Amino acid sequence: MAQLTDIHALILDMDGVLWRQNQPIGDLPEIFNIIKSNQLKVTLATNNASLSIAQYLEKLRNFDVHLKPEEIINSSQVLLRYLIQRFPEGGNLYIIGENGLKETLTQDKFKISEDNVFAVAVGMDLHLNYEKLCRATLLIRAGAAFVATNADKTFPTPQGLVPGVGAILACLETASGVSPHVVGKPAPEIYEMAMQRMGVSPQETLVVGDRLETDIVGAQKLGCKTALVLSGVTDLSTAQKWIPAPDIIAKDLSSVLETLTKPHG
Ligand SMILES: [Mg+2]
């Protein structure tokens, strides 16, 4: 067991950690009371870009959890920052994704269009159809940059695992012969943004996630402490085989907090 007495900040994944779609995992108001009463800084960081920050705040309010906008980061914010760095002059984007992604990416100097497109941006799209896949493929084949919020293969629902952005990317990659640039975890940008906002170092930060190859790998690359929860996409035997092992493997976020706030012998 890793030394956890020096943890001052938490970075929490959302899907599979806080909820499965609209079903909360555990008593969320109580969980956030424990976090605040132990003076832990917190940032929610998700690869899921289908909701905007305002929509996440509203979703949290519906669970009686009240956070500030700066306590949430999603991969669409990281993607916007990447696009501004790579294409500082702005331009037209073709987007496969939900309104949350479209709103975030068009906040600055980019517009949605099907003409003169310099980049195809892909996120979770619950209304994906063949026509969108055709259009994106043709644009990428014509030379548009191919970028994505994340490459999660699946995401958890109360019924089980369903296709994630990674499954959409696999289709476009096969059809276009081009690999996407992906900004979401396990790329380090989301965690770096979160720690910068909280003013903490990796050594004093515990990252909690349900997915080994994204949440845990990304955090380990930066030297953060890690907790894998079994309330999402990963089962115990898979978690136990993972090398390097997460610092904590726990049933859910409540159990992680119990481990963290228990007096150390
Ligand atoms: Mg997750």
Side-chain angles (χ1 to χ4, degrees):
M1 175 69 67
Q3 192 51 259
L4 295 168
T5 48
D6 294 327
I7 297 299
H8 295 117
L10 299 177
I11 299 177
L12 307 178
D13 179 47
M14 294 194 246
D15 295 306
V17 175
L18 299 181
W19 52 60
R20 296 179 205 93
Q21 287 189 336
N22 292 318
Q23 183 185 83
I25 299 171
D27 183 344
L28 293 180
E30 175 63 11
I31 284 170
F32 281 89
N33 282 341
I34 293 169
I35 291 171
K36 300 279 163 157
S37 63
N38 282 278
Q39 275 102 44
L40 292 164
K41 295 176 182 175
V42 68
T43 300
L44 311 189
T46 180
N47 268 1
N48 187 339
S50 54
L51 299 183
S52 66
I53 302 303
Q55 289 171 313
Y56 276 117
L57 288 169
E58 193 190 325
K59 180 164 183 169
L60 286 157
R61 271 199 303 276
N62 290 336
F63 292 130
D64 204 22
V65 174
H66 304 272
L67 295 183
K68 303 186 194 92
E70 60 269 25
E71 289 176 309
I72 305 179
I73 296 178
N74 68 10
S75 56
S76 61
Q77 292 178 309
V78 186
L79 184 55
L80 175 63
R81 196 174 67 158
Y82 171 80
L83 287 171
I84 291 169
Q85 281 164 359
R86 184 162 162 201
F87 303 100
E89 62 289 342
N92 293 342
L93 289 171
Y94 182 70
I95 299 176
I96 289 183
E98 296 293 316
N99 286 335
L101 178 63
K102 291 177 181 166
E103 280 165 28
T104 302
L105 294 186
T106 53
Q107 269 165 19
D108 206 282
K109 49 189 68 169
F110 304 112
K111 282 202 210 76
I112 296 177
S113 174
E114 294 182 10
D115 300 312
N116 298 319
V117 169
F118 72 92
V120 172
V122 181
M124 193 58 214
D125 189 335
L126 301 176
H127 305 93
L128 182 69
N129 60 35
Y130 190 69
E131 193 194 332
K132 290 183 188 178
L133 292 170
C134 288
R135 203 161 301 265
T137 300
L138 292 169
L139 289 165
I140 296 164
R141 283 187 160 274
F146 179 17
V147 298
T149 55
N150 69 84
D152 292 21
K153 294 173 186 136
T154 56
F155 75 88
T157 70
Q159 293 78 36
L161 298 181
V162 298
V165 179
I168 303 174
L169 295 179
C171 173
L172 292 174
E173 192 170 348
T174 301
S176 69
V178 177
S179 301
H181 177 84
V182 180
V183 299
K185 312 169 209 173
E189 284 100 323
I190 289 190
Y191 293 145
E192 284 169 347
M193 265 176 87
M195 289 189 286
Q196 219 166 38
R197 285 186 187 179
M198 293 190 287
V200 295
S201 67
Q203 294 73 30
E204 55 187 336
T205 302
L206 178 71
V207 172
V208 184
D210 67 316
R211 196 180 284 271
L212 289 158
E213 70 273 19
T214 54
D215 301 321
I216 302 304
V217 167
Q220 287 174 334
K221 273 192 215 162
L222 288 169
C224 298
K225 299 286 190 293
T226 57
L228 188 279
V229 289
L230 301 170
S231 49
V233 299
T234 306
D235 61 34
L236 180 61
S237 70
T238 310
Q240 284 172 334
K241 281 182 215 136
W242 195 258
I243 298 169
D247 297 292
I248 299 173
I249 296 173
K251 182 165 71 79
D252 55 20
L253 180 55
S254 299
S255 312
V256 173
L257 292 173
E258 263 170 46
T259 309
L260 206 58
T261 55
K262 201 166 51 189
H264 294 264

